[in-house]
Amino acid sequence: MLAYRYILKVCHAEPRQLVTFADMLKCVLAHDRNHRPNRHWETAYEYCDICNVNYSYIIRTENMMEEGAYVMDQAGLDNSKRILNVVRGGTIREVEKRKPRPHSDYYKDIDIEIINRLQGIYEWELKLFNYPHTPFTN
């Protein structure tokens, strides 16, 4: 929700205006061009020191429910699935709760130039986390 408010503010959208996924991507690209990253879409290798820290676990947000539950179970926390469901329920839009869609659906109508620019920005994420070459279109 914070990222959404940030996009409304920074991308000069009206408070009651629906910001589309394409609008958000354009905002991300504009900020990258101006070298003003936002923590919500900043690249992981720039802030997590992945090459110098011996992490016990690295989880992908796409698999957070399963992988997060595993990590929480390993830490001895009870009710990990319930906790993750509560957290997830508080962070996604109502429409997504009613009709969830795969991540790739969001990119179906996005211009290939935008996808190519995103792949350039997140090139190291694609390599470090072993994403397919075109995660935005698969």
Side-chain angles (χ1 to χ4, degrees):
M1 193 57 137
L2 290 175
Y4 187 78
R5 287 188 194 127
Y6 180 82
I7 290 167
L8 284 174
K9 177 181 171 190
V10 174
C11 294
H12 311 291
E14 295 297 322
R16 299 256 182 243
Q17 177 184 345
L18 177 64
V19 176
T20 67
F21 186 66
D23 294 335
M24 186 210 56
L25 294 178
K26 289 174 187 173
C27 189
V28 169
L29 292 172
H31 279 250
D32 182 68
R33 185 174 45 247
N34 295 326
H35 306 290
R36 293 173 26 206
N38 175 279
R39 66 185 172 104
H40 293 94
W41 51 75
E42 186 176 16
T43 56
Y45 75 90
E46 292 184 78
Y47 67 84
C48 74
D49 208 16
I50 196 167
C51 297
N52 296 315
V53 175
N54 186 17
Y55 289 97
S56 297
Y57 303 98
I58 297 176
I59 64 173
R60 295 181 184 182
T61 55
E62 298 88 347
N63 304 325
M64 191 178 302
M65 294 300 287
E66 295 83 20
E67 294 177 9
Y70 175 80
V71 170
M72 292 171 79
D73 290 343
Q74 293 298 304
L77 298 172
D78 294 330
N79 301 318
S80 58
K81 292 253 186 200
R82 187 186 65 75
I83 293 168
L84 288 167
N85 278 323
V86 168
V87 170
R88 184 175 190 279
T91 59
I92 61 172
R93 298 180 308 162
E94 287 300 318
V95 68
E96 294 298 325
K97 292 177 188 177
R98 290 190 303 273
K99 189 177 178 188
R101 342 185 279 188
H103 290 92
S104 57
D105 278 5
Y106 290 97
Y107 294 91
K108 284 182 180 175
D109 298 322
I110 302 299
D111 185 74
I112 191 67
E113 179 184 327
I114 291 174
I115 290 174
N116 289 339
R117 288 179 60 200
L118 289 168
Q119 287 175 326
I121 293 169
Y122 296 103
E123 177 183 10
W124 282 104
E125 250 77 351
L126 301 176
K127 292 176 182 178
L128 289 170
F129 300 115
N130 199 28
Y131 284 109
H133 178 67
T134 57
F136 306 112
T137 56
N138 286 348

